[in-house]
Amino acid sequence: MTAARLASRAGERALLPCLALLLAALSILPFGRLLTEGVAPKGVPSFDAIAAALGRSSTWVATIHSLEVAIGGTVVAVLLGSAVALTVTLTDARLRSAFIFCFVLPLMIPPQVTALAWLQVMAPSSPLLGLLGFEPRLGAPNPLYSRQGIILILGLQYAPLVFLALRAGLRGLPGDLVEAARAAGGRPWTVLRTIILPLMAPHLVAATALSFVSCVGNFGIPAFLGIPANYLVLPTLIYQRLAGLGPTALSEVSVLALVIGLIALSGIVLQGLATRGRDSRTTMLSAASRPFALGVWQRPVTWVMWLVVAVMLGLPVLGLLSTSLVPAYGVALSAASATLENYNFVLFGHAASRRAMVNSFLLAAAAAVIIIAISVVLAYFLVWRRSVLLSVLNLAAELPYAVPGVVLAIASILVFLKPLPFFGVSLYNTVWIILFAYVARFLVLGLRPVVGGYSQLDRGLEEAAQVAGAGFFTRLRTIILPVISPSAVAGGFLVFMTAFNELTVSALLWSSGAETLGVVVFGFEQGGESTYASALALVTVVVTLALMLATLAAGRAMPKGALPWRD
Amino acid sequence: MARLILDRVSKSFGSQEVLSGVGIDVADGELLAVLGPSGCGKTTLLRLVAGFETLNGGTIDIGERRVSGNGVHIPPEDRRVGIVFQSYALWPHLTVDGNVEYALRVAGMAAEERRRRVADVLAKIGLTGFGDRRPAELSGGQRQRVALARCLVMEPSLVLLDEPLANLDVHLRASVEAEFVDFHRRTGTTMIYITHDQAEAMALADRIAVLDQGVLMQIAPPSQLYAEPANEMVAGFVGRGMVVPAVVLGEERGGRCRVSVLGIEVTVRCAPGQRAGRQAKLCFRPRDLGLAAYGDGVPCRLARSIYQGGGFRLEIRPEVAPEIMLTLDVPEITAIDHGGMVSIGIRDGWVIPGS
């Protein structure tokens, strides 16, 4: 055996321990640190921090608020998302691919932008309402600054999530089970009630749980809609405490983070139970391919579907656009008053906004590259080697994305507040802590498409190369990377787009000079400068849309099923 | 119980025509097998009858009722057609009872009556006591029978079976086949049985309809299909037929005529009214051919002999037409080999009509 080959062997053997260390640092260390901070602040076991945090009425109020909006938002999301999924998958409503793209699009628009956009639509001084001829009473509070407002926008934000989960399930529904029920005399509604929905129950439960977890952890929507009404949920309470008191509040917010983590965990466990042991008892010949003809209803249903898209997508974008074009908030939009000055200001005039654009771009790009590098190697082991350690690593990769972003942010602060051992520098208050949190949080977004790519790959390809004498890294470079790269690129896109628009994590981790786009938009809106906020938000929406269209243009080069917006 | 009439039925998916001008008249109580190679359109035919697909041309009548065609399309749930799917399509979230009683429940039948009917039909198929099981807890053969029970409990006017034996073990097929025949005889239900397995079709059907590339090739009782194939496709597809060119020397007389084939003259069967002609095609079955004394009959080169247990199958090429491959079965091989040459005699054959 040559020296080079021995080195390759040693490298391969060292790889798994390296991955384990990496994931320990990204996931297990921060969450472990958070747990110990809760039960043993300053290293001494004590329940003082828990007692102090749970003794405050604000904690309980925020917890109840969190549950209220999460349950309400989930109900809206499940009703809307499943109605659309059933219609699109089971009937012959037309223009399906375009509709799916448009319906899933809001999922890629960051929640805070959705909230901001709807605020513009519903504001009493809304230029859009003015254009449409509505003249709401001036001075009336925006109806979205309320519990109902948060619930509605959360529901709209996560309906696509439910749609995607249920649609995936419906695509696996064997067509002959539906046909058998129809031949037995079942009318479409009966078949839906007695056959399709019962078979979809695990998917529905999983989708509901996923939506619940997302609603509980959402920061952007309650931050934009709840803080002005003093309706605080746990993530916004944590934000306010930390913003107001700084690191001295860490012990208390750690407990709050644990509370919200526990609530989210209950949803995650429920989702796990629902998806465990998926029914594989049916022999699948072909999926149910749109078994119900709408007949005379085809046209009206198609119209209603596009009306939903117009309301969910068109209205908020118009809201942003109209606000971004007026010279000052409250001025009526007209040909004479329209101006591009807000764009000029956020793109060129405002220093923090310019910095944020560079920061967000570089952070998202760096996170995407690092995550893809980790994913290609990690997925190799996850798909082709099985062990207890790997199951643990898989869980460790999932955890930072599964729990709410504020929980990860607090955990990251706890890890990096003190200077790093050996280096003597602290990452806290630098851009690097944001990069760390992004890599940890979005790892699973990049990992999933790559794992999907490996799963479809014939192991024989790699084994043939191994038999031919190629070492691990040679195989990785010459065989695996070329085949897996479309999935990796797709994963990279997902990571980039999500990180580029991110607010939850960076709202707690940013510092002067290390702003992100989300933070700046939030800052504008909190400062009452909705025109700037709208202009900058619309720029991010355009960037997101352009990236999505780019992946569509890449067409066949992108692996099927890796990108949610492509049917 | 009902008659089924398909009249000039056509179906296309996009620009591809899957069925063209298929006309079949299935008598009340008949068991018709639809046989054809994969992709011939037989499953589409079944889905059209069930109402899962709409027609592009022609009509389908069940009983006295027009169900498809001429602007009519009765949805599947109103056709009272029973289907046994190839996959059985048992609903995994319902028990055996739940599966079987589904149609009755949907029809709004009272629970009491439902229980009685389900118990009846489960007894008939020998699954009494299995009512509480889930499909996953049943064997392949049991699932097959539940699927049949589910279809029968609604007392359909017409039963469609889509390759119902395809997912069963070989040793189970014969017994289920027998059950089908028995059941058909007892109930007299009109049945359409889709299959690609000709042995299955021959064993079960009153008549067999052969489909190829969406066109009906022949519809006839099994024995006639075997003995008198209507065209080259049926001759080649059914019963390992061999098709060779021949010259018909004289007109049909008493169902037979004189032909010249492979350099010899023989008398073979033919359709009434067969005329003399040079462009005829003759269909042989392996049993129509036999070894002749060396020097008699058709001299052929032995290409291959395959031991088949108790005898050999010979593959031979006639010296006058080496491009043709013939097969025949013989009990012994040792005595016939003369430097790779054999002589064969032609006992019988069938002049393919219109060829």
Side-chain angles (χ1 to χ4, degrees), chain B residues 162-177:
Chain B
D162 186 7
E163 309 232 5
L165 304 183
N167 286 340
L168 287 184
D169 293 341
V170 179
H171 64 272
L172 257 177
R173 285 190 192 185
S175 70
V176 179
E177 238 174 55

mmCIF file of all heavy atoms in Angstrom, chain B residues 162-177:
data_model
loop_
_atom_site.group_PDB
_atom_site.id
_atom_site.type_symbol
_atom_site.label_atom_id
_atom_site.label_comp_id
_atom_site.label_asym_id
_atom_site.label_seq_id
_atom_site.Cartn_x
_atom_site.Cartn_y
_atom_site.Cartn_z
ATOM 1 N N ASP B 162 -58.996 -6.800 -12.941
ATOM 2 C CA ASP B 162 -57.784 -6.303 -13.593
ATOM 3 C C ASP B 162 -56.595 -7.148 -13.154
ATOM 4 O O ASP B 162 -56.060 -6.943 -12.079
ATOM 5 C CB ASP B 162 -57.561 -4.828 -13.219
ATOM 6 C CG ASP B 162 -56.404 -4.221 -13.986
ATOM 7 O OD1 ASP B 162 -55.869 -4.891 -14.885
ATOM 8 O OD2 ASP B 162 -56.039 -3.073 -13.686
ATOM 9 N N GLU B 163 -56.212 -8.102 -13.981
ATOM 10 C CA GLU B 163 -55.092 -9.004 -13.680
ATOM 11 C C GLU B 163 -55.134 -9.455 -12.221
ATOM 12 O O GLU B 163 -54.164 -9.275 -11.478
ATOM 13 C CB GLU B 163 -53.758 -8.307 -13.970
ATOM 14 C CG GLU B 163 -53.712 -7.704 -15.350
ATOM 15 C CD GLU B 163 -52.484 -8.135 -16.140
ATOM 16 O OE1 GLU B 163 -51.719 -8.973 -15.637
ATOM 17 O OE2 GLU B 163 -52.338 -7.672 -17.273
ATOM 18 N N PRO B 164 -56.225 -10.049 -11.781
ATOM 19 C CA PRO B 164 -56.389 -10.310 -10.347
ATOM 20 C C PRO B 164 -55.406 -11.350 -9.800
ATOM 21 O O PRO B 164 -55.216 -11.429 -8.606
ATOM 22 C CB PRO B 164 -57.822 -10.813 -10.231
ATOM 23 C CG PRO B 164 -58.140 -11.337 -11.578
ATOM 24 C CD PRO B 164 -57.356 -10.534 -12.558
ATOM 25 N N LEU B 165 -54.799 -12.131 -10.679
ATOM 26 C CA LEU B 165 -53.903 -13.170 -10.169
ATOM 27 C C LEU B 165 -52.438 -12.770 -10.268
ATOM 28 O O LEU B 165 -51.560 -13.498 -9.844
ATOM 29 C CB LEU B 165 -54.109 -14.482 -10.951
ATOM 30 C CG LEU B 165 -55.538 -15.014 -10.961
ATOM 31 C CD1 LEU B 165 -55.605 -16.340 -11.693
ATOM 32 C CD2 LEU B 165 -56.073 -15.169 -9.551
ATOM 33 N N ALA B 166 -52.185 -11.592 -10.827
ATOM 34 C CA ALA B 166 -50.800 -11.220 -11.135
ATOM 35 C C ALA B 166 -49.921 -11.151 -9.899
ATOM 36 O O ALA B 166 -48.726 -11.429 -9.972
ATOM 37 C CB ALA B 166 -50.773 -9.882 -11.868
ATOM 38 N N ASN B 167 -50.515 -10.791 -8.739
ATOM 39 C CA ASN B 167 -49.698 -10.649 -7.539
ATOM 40 C C ASN B 167 -49.719 -11.892 -6.640
ATOM 41 O O ASN B 167 -49.305 -11.831 -5.509
ATOM 42 C CB ASN B 167 -50.165 -9.432 -6.726
ATOM 43 C CG ASN B 167 -49.734 -8.136 -7.385
ATOM 44 O OD1 ASN B 167 -48.805 -8.132 -8.194
ATOM 45 N ND2 ASN B 167 -50.418 -7.058 -7.072
ATOM 46 N N LEU B 168 -50.225 -12.986 -7.168
ATOM 47 C CA LEU B 168 -50.311 -14.198 -6.346
ATOM 48 C C LEU B 168 -49.173 -15.157 -6.687
ATOM 49 O O LEU B 168 -48.664 -15.165 -7.799
ATOM 50 C CB LEU B 168 -51.639 -14.907 -6.590
ATOM 51 C CG LEU B 168 -52.885 -14.250 -6.003
ATOM 52 C CD1 LEU B 168 -54.090 -15.135 -6.257
ATOM 53 C CD2 LEU B 168 -52.724 -14.004 -4.522
ATOM 54 N N ASP B 169 -48.804 -15.993 -5.702
ATOM 55 C CA ASP B 169 -47.824 -17.048 -5.959
ATOM 56 C C ASP B 169 -48.382 -18.001 -7.002
ATOM 57 O O ASP B 169 -49.592 -18.199 -7.098
ATOM 58 C CB ASP B 169 -47.576 -17.866 -4.678
ATOM 59 C CG ASP B 169 -46.896 -17.009 -3.635
ATOM 60 O OD1 ASP B 169 -46.326 -15.991 -4.028
ATOM 61 O OD2 ASP B 169 -46.970 -17.367 -2.452
ATOM 62 N N VAL B 170 -47.462 -18.631 -7.722
ATOM 63 C CA VAL B 170 -47.890 -19.546 -8.788
ATOM 64 C C VAL B 170 -48.803 -20.640 -8.252
ATOM 65 O O VAL B 170 -49.832 -20.955 -8.838
ATOM 66 C CB VAL B 170 -46.654 -20.167 -9.474
ATOM 67 C CG1 VAL B 170 -47.093 -21.136 -10.554
ATOM 68 C CG2 VAL B 170 -45.783 -19.077 -10.056
ATOM 69 N N HIS B 171 -48.457 -21.187 -7.074
ATOM 70 C CA HIS B 171 -49.243 -22.320 -6.581
ATOM 71 C C HIS B 171 -50.622 -21.888 -6.085
ATOM 72 O O HIS B 171 -51.511 -22.709 -5.937
ATOM 73 C CB HIS B 171 -48.476 -23.082 -5.495
ATOM 74 C CG HIS B 171 -48.229 -22.267 -4.268
ATOM 75 N ND1 HIS B 171 -47.117 -21.465 -4.125
ATOM 76 C CD2 HIS B 171 -48.955 -22.112 -3.142
ATOM 77 C CE1 HIS B 171 -47.169 -20.856 -2.958
ATOM 78 N NE2 HIS B 171 -48.278 -21.230 -2.346
ATOM 79 N N LEU B 172 -50.790 -20.599 -5.807
ATOM 80 C CA LEU B 172 -52.097 -20.118 -5.356
ATOM 81 C C LEU B 172 -53.024 -19.849 -6.544
ATOM 82 O O LEU B 172 -54.243 -19.878 -6.418
ATOM 83 C CB LEU B 172 -51.919 -18.813 -4.584
ATOM 84 C CG LEU B 172 -52.008 -18.898 -3.075
ATOM 85 C CD1 LEU B 172 -51.742 -17.535 -2.464
ATOM 86 C CD2 LEU B 172 -53.374 -19.413 -2.645
ATOM 87 N N ARG B 173 -52.407 -19.564 -7.696
ATOM 88 C CA ARG B 173 -53.202 -19.124 -8.835
ATOM 89 C C ARG B 173 -54.249 -20.143 -9.239
ATOM 90 O O ARG B 173 -55.409 -19.800 -9.459
ATOM 91 C CB ARG B 173 -52.298 -18.858 -10.038
ATOM 92 C CG ARG B 173 -51.552 -17.575 -9.883
ATOM 93 C CD ARG B 173 -50.866 -17.236 -11.156
ATOM 94 N NE ARG B 173 -49.942 -16.149 -10.896
ATOM 95 C CZ ARG B 173 -49.235 -15.542 -11.810
ATOM 96 N NH1 ARG B 173 -49.332 -15.927 -13.063
ATOM 97 N NH2 ARG B 173 -48.432 -14.578 -11.491
ATOM 98 N N ALA B 174 -53.838 -21.411 -9.322
ATOM 99 C CA ALA B 174 -54.757 -22.439 -9.805
ATOM 100 C C ALA B 174 -56.005 -22.495 -8.928
ATOM 101 O O ALA B 174 -57.125 -22.553 -9.432
ATOM 102 C CB ALA B 174 -54.048 -23.779 -9.831
ATOM 103 N N SER B 175 -55.804 -22.410 -7.585
ATOM 104 C CA SER B 175 -56.969 -22.533 -6.712
ATOM 105 C C SER B 175 -57.866 -21.297 -6.814
ATOM 106 O O SER B 175 -59.087 -21.414 -6.801
ATOM 107 C CB SER B 175 -56.528 -22.782 -5.274
ATOM 108 O OG SER B 175 -55.935 -21.623 -4.753
ATOM 109 N N VAL B 176 -57.261 -20.130 -6.929
ATOM 110 C CA VAL B 176 -58.088 -18.932 -7.063
ATOM 111 C C VAL B 176 -58.815 -18.933 -8.409
ATOM 112 O O VAL B 176 -59.975 -18.533 -8.504
ATOM 113 C CB VAL B 176 -57.238 -17.651 -6.892
ATOM 114 C CG1 VAL B 176 -58.101 -16.416 -7.047
ATOM 115 C CG2 VAL B 176 -56.555 -17.640 -5.538
ATOM 116 N N GLU B 177 -58.114 -19.401 -9.434
ATOM 117 C CA GLU B 177 -58.728 -19.551 -10.750
ATOM 118 C C GLU B 177 -59.993 -20.396 -10.654
ATOM 119 O O GLU B 177 -61.058 -20.016 -11.144
ATOM 120 C CB GLU B 177 -57.734 -20.257 -11.686
ATOM 121 C CG GLU B 177 -57.369 -19.480 -12.919
ATOM 122 C CD GLU B 177 -56.278 -20.210 -13.698
ATOM 123 O OE1 GLU B 177 -56.457 -21.391 -14.046
ATOM 124 O OE2 GLU B 177 -55.249 -19.584 -13.932
#
